[in-house]
Amino acid sequence: QVQLVESGGGLVQAGGSLRLSCAASGSIFRFYAVSWYRQAPGKPRELVAVISSDGYTNYADSVKGRFTISRDNAKNTVYLQMNSLKPEDTAVYYCKSQSTTQSSWGQGTQVTVSS
């Protein structure tokens, strides 16, 4: 089993940057695929980025070229570097791990981008 804790959210002006962290404990993290999701008021939950256990990445079109997902298995942590932030990026951001048997979610961290 794995437990996930997100951190790094906050308030930033448009054009600024934030780096989110998803720290894992309780299992062998390097075998898990990890995704970042976000959900804004009035909008459906959106898959933002995913990284496989081997390091392959994919991104939503809305964040391509601005966001980067990465992982440091030695630190049991996945990151989401967010650059050139826009007000439309305002949302609660969640990380999710996926093993062959179950998924786990973090509690979420709020990102607010002011114009």
Side-chain angles (χ1 to χ4, degrees):
Q1 301 182 53
V2 63
Q3 294 78 48
L4 305 176
V5 178
E6 301 99 332
S7 63
L11 175 64
V12 65
Q13 291 187 326
S17 298
L18 285 173
R19 190 182 195 184
L20 306 184
S21 297
C22 177
S25 63
S27 192
I28 304 175
F29 183 70
R30 64 188 177 94
F31 294 117
Y32 291 75
V34 177
S35 300
W36 285 97
Y37 289 79
R38 67 185 182 186
Q39 188 164 29
K43 298 177 65 177
R45 183 167 294 187
E46 176 188 21
L47 177 62
V48 175
V50 60
I51 186 166
S52 74
S53 59
D54 293 327
Y56 297 105
T57 60
N58 282 299
Y59 301 90
D61 287 342
S62 59
V63 306
K64 284 182 179 177
R66 300 188 298 119
F67 290 12
T68 303
I69 188 171
S70 61
R71 68 191 303 157
D72 186 339
N73 289 335
K75 297 181 179 179
N76 291 327
T77 302
V78 168
Y79 304 97
L80 185 67
Q81 179 67 46
M82 305 185 295
N83 299 325
S84 301
L85 283 162
K86 306 174 181 179
E88 307 93 270
D89 297 317
T90 295
V92 177
Y93 284 71
Y94 303 88
C95 63
K96 184 188 79 173
S97 66
Q98 182 67 58
S99 72
T100 56
T101 58
Q102 67 180 46
S103 61
S104 299
W105 290 85
Q107 83 289 347
T109 186
Q110 176 70 47
V111 172
T112 303
V113 184
S114 64
S115 59

